[in-house]
Amino acid sequence: MAANTCNQPPFRGNGTGAQADYVFGFEYINRADVEVYVGEPGNWTQFTEGNAANANEYQWQNATTIRLNAATGTDNVLITRETDRCDPAVEFFAGTSIRAEDLNANQEQTLMLIQEMSATLSANGMDQPPGSDGIT
């Protein structure tokens, strides 16, 4: 799934204490790249794909909607993405043709990894250009 990569993770939502649907807008390559957590910073519980009626499980409703049962809270639902950074989306081999869709897939993977790295740096207070906040 990919078209508009400007809407970046993470998505934060409020737990309702009952099953609820959470609609996120960021793109991902594989569903396995999407991760769901409930809790608070320093105390997150990762949910696994399964049945939303079960504890610590979520289920997909469509490409951008996840259903889960989270405790009541503010910003205690975190849906984020961790793109595979070890294996390229597409590999090229000598003697085979290079297709635009394959080049785009690898470029998209790189863009998503950069977005995730940027979000991590920002979360750690490094979201300013070099020199503007003392980071050089």
Side-chain angles (χ1 to χ4, degrees):
M1 151 179 203
N4 176 359
T5 55
C6 290
N7 195 349
Q8 301 175 36
F11 164 85
R12 292 184 182 275
N14 300 328
T16 64
Q19 278 190 31
D21 291 345
Y22 297 88
V23 179
F24 61 95
F26 61 83
E27 302 291 333
Y28 55 89
I29 296 172
N30 298 304
R31 280 188 170 182
D33 296 343
V34 176
E35 296 180 346
V36 178
Y37 298 89
V38 175
E40 57 189 45
N43 192 28
W44 293 107
T45 298
Q46 185 171 10
F47 278 35
T48 57
E49 186 174 357
N51 184 337
N54 297 334
N56 300 338
E57 292 185 4
Y58 67 89
Q59 68 189 80
W60 289 91
Q61 299 303 297
N62 59 44
T64 59
T65 305
I66 287 179
R67 177 174 292 162
L68 60 98
N69 186 350
T72 303
T74 302
D75 281 349
N76 66 328
V77 175
L78 178 71
I79 301 175
T80 192
R81 177 186 73 212
E82 186 169 335
T83 304
D84 184 350
R85 59 183 166 267
C86 296
D87 298 311
V90 178
E91 290 187 57
F92 300 100
F93 299 96
T96 61
S97 62
I98 297 176
R99 301 178 310 163
E101 66 187 67
D102 293 339
L103 291 172
N104 289 339
N106 278 352
Q107 181 63 26
E108 180 179 74
Q109 180 182 23
T110 301
L111 177 60
M112 289 182 181
L113 288 167
I114 290 168
Q115 290 171 344
E116 292 163 16
M117 183 175 62
S118 176
T120 299
L121 290 171
S122 180
N124 288 294
M126 293 183 256
D127 57 352
Q128 299 296 318
S132 66
D133 61 354
I135 299 172
T136 55

